[in-house]
Amino acid sequence: MALTMTSAAARQVRKSIEKRGKGQGIRIGVKTSGCSGLSYVMEFVDQPQPDDIVCAQDDVKIFVDPKSMLYLDGTELDFTREGLNEGFRFNNPNVKDTCGCGESFTV
């Protein structure tokens, strides 16, 4: 099982942790939400959970709980800038459909 990130995403995560002043990495997960059923969740990790799956790249750690990894396996996290908008983008090969607003997905 694997979750990867681009160099741009790793730089942004590292920058955010440095600005925050603490943290071991970020947690990426999924929760039931939106019109398609699932949405992504990201948060800082100060203390990992015992059952976390850890993916590390460019000195940045991503923590994923085992249930979320079922939906995230093979996903690449990217950070993009388009005009005045910037943010993380999930390139998830498991997604079968997304809602019209782009906030949720199904697998």
Short mmCIF file of all heavy atoms in Angstrom, two decimals, residues 17-53:
data_model
loop_
_atom_site.label_atom_id
_atom_site.label_comp_id
_atom_site.label_asym_id
_atom_site.label_seq_id
_atom_site.Cartn_x
_atom_site.Cartn_y
_atom_site.Cartn_z
N ILE A 17 4.29 22.95 8.20
CA ILE A 17 4.72 22.43 9.50
C ILE A 17 5.72 23.40 10.15
O ILE A 17 5.63 23.68 11.35
CB ILE A 17 5.32 21.02 9.36
CG1 ILE A 17 4.21 20.02 8.99
CG2 ILE A 17 6.02 20.58 10.65
CD1 ILE A 17 4.71 18.64 8.61
N GLU A 18 6.64 23.93 9.35
CA GLU A 18 7.61 24.90 9.88
C GLU A 18 6.90 26.15 10.39
O GLU A 18 7.24 26.67 11.46
CB GLU A 18 8.65 25.25 8.83
CG GLU A 18 9.62 24.12 8.55
CD GLU A 18 10.51 24.38 7.34
OE1 GLU A 18 10.41 25.45 6.72
OE2 GLU A 18 11.31 23.48 7.02
N LYS A 19 5.93 26.63 9.64
CA LYS A 19 5.18 27.83 10.04
C LYS A 19 4.40 27.55 11.33
O LYS A 19 4.31 28.42 12.20
CB LYS A 19 4.21 28.23 8.92
CG LYS A 19 3.45 29.49 9.19
CD LYS A 19 2.59 29.87 8.01
CE LYS A 19 1.82 31.14 8.30
NZ LYS A 19 0.97 31.51 7.16
N ARG A 20 3.85 26.36 11.46
CA ARG A 20 3.10 25.97 12.64
C ARG A 20 4.03 25.82 13.85
O ARG A 20 3.61 26.02 14.98
CB ARG A 20 2.37 24.65 12.35
CG ARG A 20 1.48 24.16 13.44
CD ARG A 20 0.70 22.94 12.94
NE ARG A 20 -0.17 22.44 13.98
CZ ARG A 20 0.05 21.33 14.67
NH1 ARG A 20 1.12 20.59 14.42
NH2 ARG A 20 -0.79 20.94 15.60
N GLY A 21 5.28 25.42 13.60
CA GLY A 21 6.25 25.30 14.67
C GLY A 21 6.34 23.95 15.32
O GLY A 21 7.17 23.73 16.21
N LYS A 22 5.51 23.01 14.93
CA LYS A 22 5.57 21.65 15.47
C LYS A 22 4.81 20.71 14.55
O LYS A 22 4.03 21.14 13.70
CB LYS A 22 5.00 21.58 16.88
CG LYS A 22 3.52 21.91 16.95
CD LYS A 22 3.00 21.77 18.36
CE LYS A 22 1.51 22.06 18.42
NZ LYS A 22 0.95 21.84 19.73
N GLY A 23 5.02 19.42 14.76
CA GLY A 23 4.31 18.41 13.99
C GLY A 23 5.26 17.41 13.38
O GLY A 23 6.38 17.75 12.99
N GLN A 24 4.80 16.16 13.31
CA GLN A 24 5.59 15.10 12.71
C GLN A 24 5.26 14.89 11.24
O GLN A 24 5.98 14.20 10.54
CB GLN A 24 5.37 13.79 13.48
CG GLN A 24 5.91 13.84 14.87
CD GLN A 24 5.91 12.47 15.52
OE1 GLN A 24 5.98 11.44 14.85
NE2 GLN A 24 5.81 12.45 16.83
N GLY A 25 4.14 15.42 10.78
CA GLY A 25 3.72 15.26 9.40
C GLY A 25 2.25 15.61 9.28
O GLY A 25 1.72 16.38 10.09
N ILE A 26 1.59 15.04 8.26
CA ILE A 26 0.16 15.27 8.07
C ILE A 26 -0.57 13.94 8.02
O ILE A 26 -0.01 12.92 7.64
CB ILE A 26 -0.14 16.08 6.78
CG1 ILE A 26 0.39 15.35 5.54
CG2 ILE A 26 0.40 17.48 6.88
CD1 ILE A 26 -0.10 15.92 4.24
N ARG A 27 -1.82 13.99 8.41
CA ARG A 27 -2.70 12.83 8.30
C ARG A 27 -3.65 13.09 7.14
O ARG A 27 -4.22 14.17 7.02
CB ARG A 27 -3.51 12.63 9.58
CG ARG A 27 -4.53 11.50 9.47
CD ARG A 27 -5.28 11.28 10.77
NE ARG A 27 -4.39 11.20 11.93
CZ ARG A 27 -3.61 10.16 12.21
NH1 ARG A 27 -3.62 9.09 11.43
NH2 ARG A 27 -2.82 10.16 13.27
N ILE A 28 -3.77 12.10 6.28
CA ILE A 28 -4.72 12.16 5.19
C ILE A 28 -5.70 11.02 5.40
O ILE A 28 -5.30 9.89 5.67
CB ILE A 28 -4.03 12.04 3.81
CG1 ILE A 28 -3.08 13.22 3.62
CG2 ILE A 28 -5.07 11.98 2.70
CD1 ILE A 28 -2.29 13.18 2.35
N GLY A 29 -6.97 11.33 5.28
CA GLY A 29 -7.99 10.31 5.46
C GLY A 29 -9.21 10.63 4.63
O GLY A 29 -9.23 11.60 3.86
N VAL A 30 -10.22 9.81 4.77
CA VAL A 30 -11.50 10.05 4.11
C VAL A 30 -12.60 9.98 5.17
O VAL A 30 -12.46 9.32 6.18
CB VAL A 30 -11.79 9.03 2.98
CG1 VAL A 30 -10.79 9.16 1.86
CG2 VAL A 30 -11.82 7.62 3.49
N LYS A 31 -13.66 10.73 4.92
CA LYS A 31 -14.83 10.67 5.79
C LYS A 31 -16.08 10.67 4.94
O LYS A 31 -16.06 11.09 3.78
CB LYS A 31 -14.85 11.85 6.76
CG LYS A 31 -15.09 13.20 6.09
CD LYS A 31 -15.19 14.31 7.09
CE LYS A 31 -15.51 15.62 6.37
NZ LYS A 31 -15.79 16.69 7.29
N THR A 32 -17.16 10.17 5.51
CA THR A 32 -18.44 10.17 4.82
C THR A 32 -18.95 11.59 4.77
O THR A 32 -19.10 12.24 5.81
CB THR A 32 -19.45 9.26 5.55
OG1 THR A 32 -18.89 7.95 5.64
CG2 THR A 32 -20.76 9.21 4.81
N SER A 33 -19.18 12.09 3.55
CA SER A 33 -19.58 13.49 3.40
C SER A 33 -19.95 13.76 1.94
O SER A 33 -19.55 13.04 1.04
CB SER A 33 -18.42 14.40 3.82
OG SER A 33 -18.74 15.74 3.61
N GLY A 34 -20.68 14.83 1.73
CA GLY A 34 -20.97 15.31 0.39
C GLY A 34 -22.00 14.47 -0.35
O GLY A 34 -22.51 13.48 0.16
N CYS A 35 -22.28 14.90 -1.56
CA CYS A 35 -23.33 14.23 -2.34
C CYS A 35 -22.85 12.93 -2.99
O CYS A 35 -23.67 12.10 -3.36
CB CYS A 35 -23.91 15.18 -3.38
SG CYS A 35 -22.76 16.30 -4.15
N SER A 36 -21.54 12.72 -3.09
CA SER A 36 -21.05 11.47 -3.69
C SER A 36 -20.65 10.43 -2.66
O SER A 36 -20.40 9.30 -3.00
CB SER A 36 -19.85 11.75 -4.61
OG SER A 36 -20.29 12.40 -5.78
N GLY A 37 -20.55 10.82 -1.40
CA GLY A 37 -20.31 9.83 -0.36
C GLY A 37 -19.06 9.99 0.47
O GLY A 37 -19.08 9.75 1.67
N LEU A 38 -17.93 10.38 -0.11
CA LEU A 38 -16.67 10.47 0.63
C LEU A 38 -15.98 11.80 0.31
O LEU A 38 -16.09 12.31 -0.80
CB LEU A 38 -15.73 9.32 0.26
CG LEU A 38 -16.20 7.91 0.55
CD1 LEU A 38 -15.27 6.89 -0.11
CD2 LEU A 38 -16.28 7.66 2.05
N SER A 39 -15.24 12.30 1.29
CA SER A 39 -14.40 13.48 1.04
C SER A 39 -13.08 13.30 1.76
O SER A 39 -12.95 12.51 2.69
CB SER A 39 -15.10 14.77 1.47
OG SER A 39 -15.33 14.76 2.86
N TYR A 40 -12.07 14.05 1.31
CA TYR A 40 -10.75 13.96 1.88
C TYR A 40 -10.64 14.82 3.13
O TYR A 40 -11.28 15.87 3.24
CB TYR A 40 -9.69 14.44 0.87
CG TYR A 40 -9.64 13.60 -0.38
CD1 TYR A 40 -10.17 14.07 -1.57
CD2 TYR A 40 -9.08 12.34 -0.35
CE1 TYR A 40 -10.12 13.30 -2.73
CE2 TYR A 40 -9.02 11.56 -1.50
CZ TYR A 40 -9.55 12.06 -2.68
OH TYR A 40 -9.50 11.28 -3.81
N VAL A 41 -9.79 14.38 4.06
CA VAL A 41 -9.52 15.11 5.29
C VAL A 41 -8.01 15.18 5.45
O VAL A 41 -7.31 14.19 5.25
CB VAL A 41 -10.12 14.37 6.52
CG1 VAL A 41 -9.81 15.10 7.80
CG2 VAL A 41 -11.60 14.16 6.35
N MET A 42 -7.51 16.38 5.79
CA MET A 42 -6.08 16.56 6.06
C MET A 42 -5.94 17.30 7.38
O MET A 42 -6.69 18.24 7.64
CB MET A 42 -5.42 17.39 4.95
CG MET A 42 -5.23 16.66 3.67
SD MET A 42 -4.43 17.69 2.40
CE MET A 42 -2.87 18.04 3.14
N GLU A 43 -4.97 16.87 8.19
CA GLU A 43 -4.70 17.56 9.44
C GLU A 43 -3.24 17.31 9.84
O GLU A 43 -2.61 16.36 9.37
CB GLU A 43 -5.64 17.08 10.54
CG GLU A 43 -5.50 15.61 10.87
CD GLU A 43 -6.55 15.10 11.86
OE1 GLU A 43 -7.48 15.85 12.18
OE2 GLU A 43 -6.41 13.96 12.30
N PHE A 44 -2.72 18.17 10.69
CA PHE A 44 -1.38 17.98 11.20
C PHE A 44 -1.35 16.82 12.19
O PHE A 44 -2.34 16.56 12.87
CB PHE A 44 -0.88 19.24 11.91
CG PHE A 44 -0.66 20.40 10.98
CD1 PHE A 44 -1.53 21.47 10.97
CD2 PHE A 44 0.43 20.42 10.13
CE1 PHE A 44 -1.33 22.55 10.12
CE2 PHE A 44 0.64 21.49 9.28
CZ PHE A 44 -0.24 22.55 9.27
N VAL A 45 -0.21 16.15 12.28
CA VAL A 45 -0.03 15.05 13.22
C VAL A 45 1.08 15.43 14.19
O VAL A 45 2.22 15.64 13.77
CB VAL A 45 0.33 13.73 12.50
CG1 VAL A 45 0.67 12.65 13.50
CG2 VAL A 45 -0.79 13.30 11.60
N ASP A 46 0.71 15.53 15.46
CA ASP A 46 1.70 15.74 16.50
C ASP A 46 2.08 14.41 17.14
O ASP A 46 3.22 14.21 17.53
CB ASP A 46 1.16 16.69 17.57
CG ASP A 46 0.94 18.10 17.02
OD1 ASP A 46 1.70 18.52 16.12
OD2 ASP A 46 0.01 18.77 17.48
N GLN A 47 1.10 13.52 17.26
CA GLN A 47 1.31 12.21 17.86
C GLN A 47 0.66 11.16 16.97
O GLN A 47 -0.56 11.10 16.88
CB GLN A 47 0.70 12.19 19.26
CG GLN A 47 1.05 10.98 20.06
CD GLN A 47 2.51 10.99 20.51
OE1 GLN A 47 3.29 11.85 20.17
NE2 GLN A 47 2.89 9.99 21.25
N PRO A 48 1.44 10.32 16.29
CA PRO A 48 0.86 9.28 15.44
C PRO A 48 0.06 8.26 16.25
O PRO A 48 0.31 8.07 17.43
CB PRO A 48 2.08 8.60 14.80
CG PRO A 48 3.23 9.49 15.06
CD PRO A 48 2.90 10.31 16.26
N GLN A 49 -0.89 7.62 15.59
CA GLN A 49 -1.66 6.54 16.19
C GLN A 49 -0.90 5.23 15.98
O GLN A 49 -0.18 5.07 14.99
CB GLN A 49 -3.04 6.45 15.54
CG GLN A 49 -3.89 7.70 15.73
CD GLN A 49 -4.14 7.98 17.19
OE1 GLN A 49 -4.53 7.10 17.94
NE2 GLN A 49 -3.90 9.22 17.59
N PRO A 50 -1.06 4.27 16.89
CA PRO A 50 -0.30 3.01 16.79
C PRO A 50 -0.53 2.24 15.49
O PRO A 50 0.39 1.58 15.00
CB PRO A 50 -0.80 2.20 17.99
CG PRO A 50 -1.40 3.18 18.92
CD PRO A 50 -1.88 4.32 18.09
N ASP A 51 -1.73 2.33 14.92
CA ASP A 51 -2.02 1.56 13.72
C ASP A 51 -1.84 2.36 12.42
O ASP A 51 -2.18 1.89 11.35
CB ASP A 51 -3.42 0.96 13.79
CG ASP A 51 -4.51 2.02 13.90
OD1 ASP A 51 -4.19 3.19 14.21
OD2 ASP A 51 -5.68 1.67 13.67
N ASP A 52 -1.30 3.57 12.51
CA ASP A 52 -1.09 4.39 11.31
C ASP A 52 -0.17 3.71 10.31
O ASP A 52 0.82 3.07 10.70
CB ASP A 52 -0.47 5.74 11.67
CG ASP A 52 -1.48 6.76 12.16
OD1 ASP A 52 -2.68 6.57 11.92
OD2 ASP A 52 -1.05 7.76 12.77
N ILE A 53 -0.47 3.90 9.06
CA ILE A 53 0.43 3.52 7.98
C ILE A 53 1.21 4.79 7.64
O ILE A 53 0.61 5.85 7.46
CB ILE A 53 -0.36 3.01 6.75
CG1 ILE A 53 -1.12 1.74 7.13
CG2 ILE A 53 0.58 2.77 5.57
CD1 ILE A 53 -2.17 1.34 6.14
#
